[in-house]
Amino acid sequence: MNKAEPLITQLFSIRNQYGKKFSKQKLKLLKAISREKLKRKKELQSWYDILLFFLAYPDNRSVYQFASQALRQLQSYIQLHESIKDRLFNSGITHTNLCAAFSFEIVKWLRKKHPKDIWLSSFEADDEQIQSILSVVMPKVESEILQDANSDWKSWLKRSLKKGEDLLDRLIAIFDETNIRPEVKDELWGAIGVNVEINFSSHLCLPRSLFTPYHHRSLIRKNFIHQTANVKFKKVILKQPEAEQIIECGRMILVRQLREIDPISFTAPPFVSYYQLPRGLSIALTGMIPERRHPIDSYMGYLVFKNGLPVAYAASWILFDSGRIGLNVFPSYRGGESQYIFEQVLKLHSKVYHLNRFSVDPYQLGKENSDGIQSGSFWVYYHAGFRPILKEQKQIAETEALKIQSIKGYRSPASVLSKLADSRMEIILKKRAVKFDAAELSLAYARILKDDYNNNRRFAEEPSFIKLARLLQIKNYYEEKLQFILRNWCVLLLSNEQELRHNEKLKKILKKLFELKAFGPEEEYISSLQQAKELKRLLEKIVKDHIGQHM
């Protein structure tokens, strides 16, 4: 009989229960399980998850120290047994391997940062497609050899390897040296489907200079959230190595979970800010390097750490004083203080970025996202004060909330959660908050394109781009980053050309905003946009005129 399985099940059931009685039980079970030789994948994964949970939410120093010791023991055990490593393939556990396709920037970063831990595995595209894509990416003079069967792509690349390089290095170099726009490069790399194998050779945790372990007497449940209204945030001035470690933690935890988000993939140390909170909690905010920024709103990322461990992440899309936001808690840490964490995320964003409204997209709630349904993410947002925007979903939510309150053990079925995910949600902190975002501007742009330009994008954009640059007296408008921004704004703004042409203050504001977006700090762009009342009024009018939304 397998002794470990019932012990792990019992420990999991009390992992988030606190008090002397439970602390003793946890230590007893921890010691008993650590003596067992675990072999089954499910047991090993559950044991790993429980140990991570205890490091994030320990009862006391004894539990914390024993969990740390047991985790080191487990990692050494995995490292020494190839059969165990094979069983845990693609689990993301330290000292195991994972194989998947990731973005060009992440593969390039991994190859530079951990050259011995990443190698080429396979390609999803066939040779003909790879040869075709490389012909586009490589300089014309070099790619001629690939035409008319003079040489196949793999043989040619191998012939051009530098000393110490392999095929993965050569592919990275070719894509790195091309002058194709970053987002096009991403798509071409993705079309090749470069599967890499990665070995996770080290445990993920921030340096002790950035956190102090917190021991729990209890967990803050959702009905106690409002007792934490006056939580203070302490901003930590980061040294470059500390910022780099935060970025590494964020990227590697996402890779382990087969995920990526742009503000973590495309950030850099100068664009990371870090805040310490009570209860062992800390939050890193990340902005993107200028060439990766969105032209109108600001796409910002965040990472949540608990006792130095990355426990959650997501992003926000900020426009004026409104932000679309989400929350993703990693599976190992569910059952902890997810609700409390999200409330602190909202408060920090509200304070740092001066936001007065938050909204959540259907995907975050579970639309076309099974993880959102399984985790019941709708209720995390609902208990934080968010409400569905559509009337039908608002009524369903009210009915379900009453059932949860009155029927012990009731959980909303997946069919109901799927229906609730059909509406965006919002929470309004101040009534004067902007009630549109980039999604509404996208709809307005599409309507302008159809009504005024017969859906001819080139005909709409080319003259508008030049006209806007001249109106704003931007002399360096052909600079790549600035041109990208102007091209994305021009059709929208010139749909109300007369107001723009005769408003000198508005033109001055726009010129400053575009320069900040292209070259300056994203936080300063957000702040300057919030002060641009004339622009806010103009965009509200454009949205109202073209999609009929009353602001």
Side-chain angles (χ1 to χ4, degrees):
M1 181 181 174
N2 186 348
K3 294 180 182 179
E5 187 175 350
L7 296 174
I8 290 172
T9 301
Q10 188 181 349
L11 185 56
F12 180 84
S13 71
I14 63 167
R15 76 196 188 288
N16 53 8
Q17 303 295 315
Y18 293 84
K20 288 184 179 180
K21 172 189 166 185
F22 290 111
S23 296
K24 287 179 180 178
Q25 279 184 274
K26 288 176 187 178
L27 277 171
K28 184 179 177 181
L29 288 165
L30 280 166
K31 290 173 182 177
I33 297 166
S34 65
R35 289 192 293 267
E36 297 291 326
K37 295 295 182 185
L38 307 183
K39 293 183 179 180
R40 296 181 182 178
K41 180 178 179 178
K42 184 179 178 182
E43 291 171 355
L44 289 158
Q45 181 74 66
S46 298
W47 179 228
Y48 181 75
D49 289 342
I50 288 169
L51 293 175
L52 289 180
F53 188 91
F54 284 155
L55 291 176
Y57 296 99
D59 305 53
N60 50 44
R61 189 177 178 184
S62 297
V63 170
Y64 184 84
Q65 289 182 335
F66 198 92
S68 299
Q69 178 187 328
L71 184 62
R72 289 192 297 270
Q73 180 183 324
L74 174 61
Q75 290 168 352
S76 297
Y77 175 63
I78 292 168
Q79 191 175 19
L80 292 170
H81 293 82
E82 285 299 322
S83 61
I84 299 296
K85 287 180 73 170
D86 291 344
R87 251 167 258 165
L88 293 170
F89 188 75
N90 267 13
S91 66
I93 292 175
T94 304
H95 292 309
T96 67
N97 291 1
L98 174 147
C99 184
F102 294 98
S103 72
F104 168 70
E105 292 296 338
I106 286 297
V107 173
K108 184 177 82 168
W109 173 79
L110 278 165
R111 189 62 165 175
K112 183 179 179 181
K113 188 79 176 177
H114 304 283
K116 295 179 180 178
D117 291 338
I118 177 173
W119 55 93
L120 183 62
S121 175
S122 63
F123 297 94
E124 293 174 12
D126 58 34
D127 284 340
E128 186 178 346
Q129 187 176 1
I130 294 171
Q131 189 142 324
S132 176
I133 291 169
L134 289 176
S135 296
V136 173
V137 176
M138 293 164 67
K140 185 66 176 173
V141 65
E142 186 181 3
S143 66
E144 283 293 342
I145 194 69
L146 302 182
Q147 308 303 319
D148 300 321
N150 286 302
S151 179
D152 68 272
W153 70 270
K154 194 174 288 186
S155 298
W156 179 246
L157 261 58
K158 285 180 178 178
R159 284 177 60 186
S160 61
L161 292 177
K162 296 177 184 177
K163 187 177 180 180
E165 276 191 338
D166 64 14
L167 194 57
L168 181 59
D169 295 312
R170 191 87 293 267
L171 278 170
I172 291 170
I174 288 168
F175 273 79
D176 202 30
E177 291 160 6
T178 185
N179 59 3
I180 296 172
R181 274 200 62 83
E183 61 270 25
V184 178
K185 187 191 300 184
D186 293 342
E187 291 300 319
L188 292 172
W189 178 270
I192 290 177
V194 183
N195 287 312
V196 291
E197 193 161 334
I198 302 164
N199 173 50
F200 302 111
S201 59
S202 58
H203 175 55
L204 284 181
C205 189
L206 292 181
R208 285 299 292 268
S209 61
L210 291 177
F211 75 97
T212 302
Y214 178 82
H215 305 140
H216 285 259
R217 293 182 178 179
S218 63
L219 295 182
I220 295 179
R221 302 296 186 180
K222 54 179 177 271
N223 51 325
F224 295 119
I225 281 177
H226 297 295
Q227 295 181 13
T228 65
N230 297 317
V231 169
K232 293 182 179 179
F233 310 105
K234 177 188 174 185
K235 185 173 184 179
V236 177
I237 305 303
L238 296 171
K239 298 172 184 174
Q240 180 160 326
E242 291 173 327
E244 288 172 349
Q245 284 173 299
I246 288 170
I247 293 170
E248 173 153 8
C249 256
R251 288 175 179 170
M252 291 304 291
I253 187 65
L254 289 175
V255 166
R256 289 178 188 230
Q257 302 286 329
L258 299 173
R259 304 179 190 184
E260 286 187 58
I261 61 168
D262 287 359
I264 294 174
S265 293
F266 306 135
T267 192
F271 309 113
V272 177
S273 56
Y274 183 74
Y275 299 83
Q276 289 178 334
L277 293 78
R279 303 179 70 79
L281 202 64
S282 55
I283 301 173
L285 303 178
T286 63
M288 289 197 281
I289 55 176
E291 55 267 33
R292 289 287 185 167
R293 292 174 184 169
H294 284 199
I296 295 177
D297 61 359
S298 296
Y299 187 16
M300 313 297 284
Y302 73 83
L303 289 159
V304 180
F305 297 90
K306 190 79 166 64
N307 286 350
L309 298 170
V311 300
Y313 80 101
S316 57
W317 293 260
I318 297 168
L319 186 67
F320 293 102
D321 62 344
S322 180
R324 291 155 57 204
I325 200 164
L327 174 72
N328 296 289
V329 177
F330 295 116
S332 302
Y333 306 102
R334 292 174 187 170
E337 294 184 333
S338 299
Q339 194 72 55
Y340 171 78
I341 284 171
F342 188 47
E343 175 134 324
Q344 302 319 306
V345 166
L346 293 176
K347 287 176 180 175
L348 182 65
H349 276 71
S350 179
K351 181 178 179 180
V352 173
Y353 300 129
H354 308 289
L355 302 182
N356 294 315
R357 172 184 174 264
F358 292 96
S359 64
V360 180
D361 290 331
Y363 179 83
Q364 292 291 332
L365 306 173
K367 190 174 181 65
E368 298 177 8
N369 172 13
S370 58
D371 189 53
I373 298 296
Q374 289 169 13
S375 63
S377 63
F378 175 89
W379 293 109
V380 173
Y381 298 106
Y382 192 88
H383 291 306
F386 286 77
R387 294 295 180 267
I389 291 174
L390 298 181
K391 185 177 179 180
E392 181 184 355
Q393 277 70 27
K394 192 178 289 186
Q395 290 173 342
I396 294 171
E398 288 170 359
T399 302
E400 285 295 297
L402 285 172
K403 287 181 182 178
I404 291 168
Q405 192 175 6
S406 58
I407 304 171
K408 189 175 180 179
Y410 178 81
R411 288 175 61 89
S412 300
S415 58
V416 172
L417 290 172
S418 296
K419 187 71 176 174
L420 288 169
D422 281 335
S423 171
R424 292 170 69 189
M425 299 179 80
E426 69 176 1
I427 180 172
I428 298 172
L429 307 179
K430 292 186 179 178
K431 288 184 179 180
R432 60 178 173 79
V434 164
K435 294 182 178 62
F436 68 91
D437 54 35
E440 279 75 31
L441 291 177
S442 181
L443 290 170
Y445 171 84
R447 181 58 62 86
I448 293 165
L449 204 65
K450 181 181 178 182
D451 293 348
D452 299 347
Y453 300 96
N454 195 29
N455 283 330
N456 188 327
R457 285 169 179 76
R458 188 171 183 179
F459 180 66
E461 190 180 290
E462 282 302 324
S464 300
F465 157 62
I466 300 294
K467 187 183 287 186
L468 181 60
R470 288 174 178 166
L471 269 174
L472 303 183
Q473 297 181 8
I474 297 175
K475 295 178 181 178
N476 60 331
Y477 60 87
Y478 276 110
E479 201 284 332
E480 187 178 4
K481 296 187 193 77
L482 201 51
Q483 183 178 165
F484 175 68
I485 293 156
L486 285 164
R487 286 185 180 279
N488 277 275
W489 277 90
C490 62
V491 173
L492 279 169
L493 292 173
L494 290 174
S495 67
N496 204 322
E497 184 179 340
Q498 289 307 309
E499 182 167 344
L500 180 59
R501 187 174 290 279
H502 297 102
N503 191 329
E504 293 301 320
K505 187 176 180 182
L506 178 57
K507 286 190 277 186
K508 198 172 181 180
I509 287 168
L510 283 167
K511 185 177 181 180
K512 178 187 176 184
L513 286 169
F514 295 164
E515 287 171 348
L516 279 172
K517 176 62 84 168
F519 311 112
E522 190 83 328
E523 289 82 0
E524 193 174 337
Y525 171 83
I526 292 169
S527 178
S528 297
L529 190 62
Q530 289 168 349
Q531 297 169 35
K533 295 180 181 178
E534 289 86 354
L535 179 58
K536 176 186 168 185
R537 283 195 290 269
L538 176 61
L539 291 179
E540 283 175 339
K541 186 176 188 307
I542 289 169
V543 169
K544 182 178 178 181
D545 288 349
H546 294 284
I547 65 172
Q549 181 161 325
H550 298 283
M551 310 310 298

